[in-house]
Amino acid sequence: MTTFVIVLCLVLMVGFALSAAMLRSMLKSAVSLAAMSAALAVILYMMGAVWAALFELSVCVGLITVVFISAISLTTPDRRDEAHTKDHRQRFAALPFILIAAGVALIAVLVSTGFYLPQPGEEAVAEAAFNQVLWQTRQADILGQILILLAGAFAVVVLFKEGRKI
Amino acid sequence: MSAGLEFVLLVFMGLPLLIVLINNLLKREIAQKICLSLGLIAGIGQMVAAIVVFVSLNAAGQASVDFSQFWNLTAGASRFSVDFFSLLALFCIGMVVTAGFLTAGKTIGDKRFNFTNLAMIILLGMNGIALVTDLFSLYVFLEITGVASFVMIALNKEGNGIEGGFKYLVMSAIATAFILGGLAFIFMQSGSLLYSDVASALSDWQNVDQPALLIVAFALVLVGFSIKSGIMPFHGWLPDAYQSAPAAVSVILGGIVTKMAGVYAILRLTGDIFVGVNLVNQILMLLAIVSIVLGAVAAITQTDFKRILAYSSISQIGYILLGASCGSAIGLIGAMLHFFNHATFKTTLFVNSAAVETATGTTEIEKLGGLQEKMPVTGVSSILAFLSTAGIPPLAGFWSKLLIILAVWQTGNFFIAGLALFASIFTAAYFLRLQRCVFFGSAVEGLENTKEVTGGICLSSVVLSVITVGFGLLFPLVLLFVQSQGLI
Amino acid sequence: MNILSIAILTAALLLIVTGLYMLVRTHNMIRIIIAVEVAMKAITLLLAYAGWLNGQTALSQAFVVTIIVMEVVVAVVAAGLAISSFRKNGDLDIRRLNKLNG
């Protein structure tokens, strides 16, 4: 059952990635990306990574999509873009074939070499609580998250706030 | 370890954070006035702290010390740790940031408040890179340094800066994808990303489930860091980023940021993780020599002061990696010393380019000429820096290059050693062209009234030149110290 | 039964190929950011899968959460650069930004 759901979501992810690349409308591309994130969140949940799934759902599906949609709406009232999008489908026409070729090639290599990874559950490891691991062993990363949010705040000040004066 | 030293260690993370805090809590008018001095305090404080920690580690006879204040040292935790190489890197960071702030005084204008904030974040990010002992935390601090750099390049929000910043962002994102992809496969096999755990997983890699996967993983990580350090097949973004950044930013960026983000990480990997993996060393050596030769050749054809320096950086980074790729102690020592020397002379040259830009308003060498008489300090310090880069004795650059080429010779790759030696001629060639166009000859029309820059820029080029010459003259002492540690 | 590992590795490869292809073939700055995001999804998938395989789910979750935070800040900064460029040039074409060459 788990395998079936995960494989289904993987197919969805690749499908949405393809539509993000090939759709002419940028807004639809951004929505495809959000749908991809949602499929990934389901996979994370099935793998037992509940917190990661929650973050993926709230931040990537929610926040990043908002960022993209505001960026697109701030930049697209531009007629010249239409001429640009006309050859869009042409430029991406080869992509599905490349993907099929790459997928078949990798599967052929993996199957022919007898590729094998241990299945989950084969090695029983004591399950540590996510909170404990995050706060007790990843302090450097937490400090890093604080710093990157600071950097992001300064970036917004530099890139957005001063621009309005002009 | 004495309690005093633990508080000194806090300087590396606490001082820049404190300065960000002070800078943002003050009234904006006051902050505008004193923010650059605050930045100077951070840079100088870091140099002093690095020296203090070095002396007390040396006195205690220890090789490394962990951060233990406010830090939970559970087994398997990602921790901060200081050893001699990270101290050297921390000192270089402090030095370059100080030079950057001295340069900023005359060049940054009303952007100084944001400049200080972002430079402090870059400083924190680079200190993190120097201190971490875990591959994932390394990625985290790389990303912090990166994000602050993208914004710094675009600080003036003019076309070139935005382009340079966006290009850097995209290349850096691709590099990140490579590195993290590799880390995922390594994590799959080792169950941890601490340097020590990854090294032990690698030491018996033939026994793991999928050795092929591990090879792919390390190839991905290596490609990622090669993009970040801008060595030759992966260098496309680097000259653009350097050229388009505001003067003070390119001092920090060119002097240290790309070295920490790429080269330092690769040196850590070769020193702590790939100990004695021949395949990695051979690939690295090949990349390094390609970078040395092609970087120098490309520098000859450039017409912009900062772009010449960027290609020169690509070539010099090649020397550092060449030393690291020998897999011997002497090669690694040579690489570390060249890392320090490169930070010194490349920062000098970027400060000089800032001086020229401030005095004349351009960095295109065709439009310049005869500045030696008008700008004696800048002229002399750039000649010293260039002689050190080309490896002329007794300047600092000569000694580190000598060690590196010696190490390559010991590995039996005589052809590569010869090529590395021969590439020094190209280095001399592009710098002679630069000197002739910018400083020698008679003054070009319109530049008759050029005056030497004063204040911070002048001060930092003098101090950096003194370090270049002094380090070269005192080099035997450095070798004696290295020998006393039993490293050679 | 090894379908799952083959499926995940294949999907990750396809996502990365899609991202890189987009990156090379598009000239639109916002599409370039979307391309980077597509590739990052593949990385997130691989890390979570690695944690599931070796039993370190808590550690891999910590990694994934950190990556998501990094990703969103990079996306915001990239969008900021794209918007600044749009205000400057009136479009998002990366080819317009080719004053730096050589």
Side-chain angles (χ1 to χ4, degrees), chain A residues 150-163:
Chain A
L150 263 179
F154 294 144
V156 170
V157 170
V158 170
L159 295 173
F160 292 96
K161 198 177 156 199
E162 291 178 354

Side-chain angles (χ1 to χ4, degrees), chain B residues 162-377:
Chain B
I162 294 170
E163 177 190 2
F166 196 79
K167 268 190 185 169
Y168 189 13
L169 187 146
V170 172
M171 288 310 284
S172 167
I174 296 171
T176 301
F178 276 107
I179 294 170
L180 278 177
L183 290 191
F185 289 128
I186 295 171
F187 179 54
M188 207 178 276
Q189 308 275 359
S190 66
S192 159
L193 287 174
L194 291 178
Y195 290 167
S196 49
D197 291 344
V198 176
S200 63
L202 189 70
S203 63
D204 61 352
W205 63 277
Q206 270 121 344
N207 299 327
V208 300
D209 292 321
Q210 290 291 341
L213 211 55
L214 213 55
I215 293 174
V216 172
F218 280 107
L220 287 174
V221 173
L222 213 57
V223 171
F225 282 121
S226 303
I227 298 176
K228 288 254 184 197
S229 52
I231 57 178
M232 203 54 182
F234 314 109
H235 69 284
W237 57 272
L238 188 135
D240 292 347
Y242 284 11
Q243 186 191 350
S244 58
V249 177
S250 53
V251 170
I252 296 180
L253 203 67
I256 194 83
V257 170
T258 50
K259 277 98 219 165
M260 285 309 289
V263 181
Y264 180 86
I266 293 182
L267 286 181
R268 273 279 162 217
L269 291 182
T270 50
D272 289 0
I273 297 179
F274 303 121
V275 188
V277 183
N278 273 328
L279 183 68
V280 174
N281 287 341
Q282 281 158 5
I283 295 171
L284 212 56
M285 190 175 276
L286 208 64
L287 286 175
I289 196 72
V290 167
S291 234
I292 291 174
V293 175
L294 293 185
V297 171
I300 293 177
T301 61
Q302 296 301 318
T303 58
D304 184 280
F305 200 145
K306 284 188 189 173
R307 256 185 125 72
I308 294 176
L309 298 185
Y311 280 101
S312 158
S313 279
I314 293 171
S315 173
Q316 296 303 315
I317 284 170
Y319 280 102
I320 302 176
L321 293 184
L322 191 64
S325 71
C326 293
S328 59
I330 186 169
L332 209 55
I333 302 278
M336 289 171 187
L337 293 175
H338 202 61
F339 182 92
F340 173 79
N341 288 339
H342 184 251
T344 329
F345 56 65
K346 199 45 59 75
T347 309
T348 317
L349 289 164
F350 272 108
V351 170
N352 292 335
S353 83
V356 169
E357 193 177 355
T358 317
T360 65
T362 181
T363 54
E364 284 178 44
I365 59 173
E366 310 285 345
K367 292 183 188 161
L368 297 164
L371 292 177
Q372 179 66 44
E373 279 173 31
K374 316 275 178 195
M375 307 175 73
V377 178

Side-chain angles (χ1 to χ4, degrees), chain C residues 8-81:
Chain C
I8 287 180
L9 289 182
T10 313
L13 178 79
L14 296 187
L15 292 179
I16 291 174
V17 170
T18 313
L20 289 181
Y21 189 86
M22 267 178 96
L23 208 62
V24 177
R25 295 295 285 180
T26 189
H27 307 296
N28 182 306
M29 289 170 93
I30 289 183
R31 269 188 204 282
I32 289 177
I33 312 168
I34 292 180
V36 169
E37 288 290 317
V38 168
M40 285 306 285
K41 296 294 157 216
I43 304 299
T44 314
L45 176 67
L46 280 177
L47 262 175
Y49 180 59
W52 194 37
L53 277 186
N54 62 20
Q56 305 272 8
T57 41
L59 190 53
S60 78
Q61 282 195 72
F63 290 162
V64 171
V65 167
T66 311
I67 288 180
I68 290 171
V69 174
M70 301 286 147
E71 210 180 324
V72 71
V73 174
V74 171
V76 168
V77 171
L81 287 173

Side-chain angles (χ1 to χ4, degrees), chain B residues 392-399 468-475:
Chain B
I392 310 290
L395 294 166
F398 165 74
W399 298 102
T468 307
V469 177
F471 192 71
L473 294 176
L474 296 176
F475 198 81

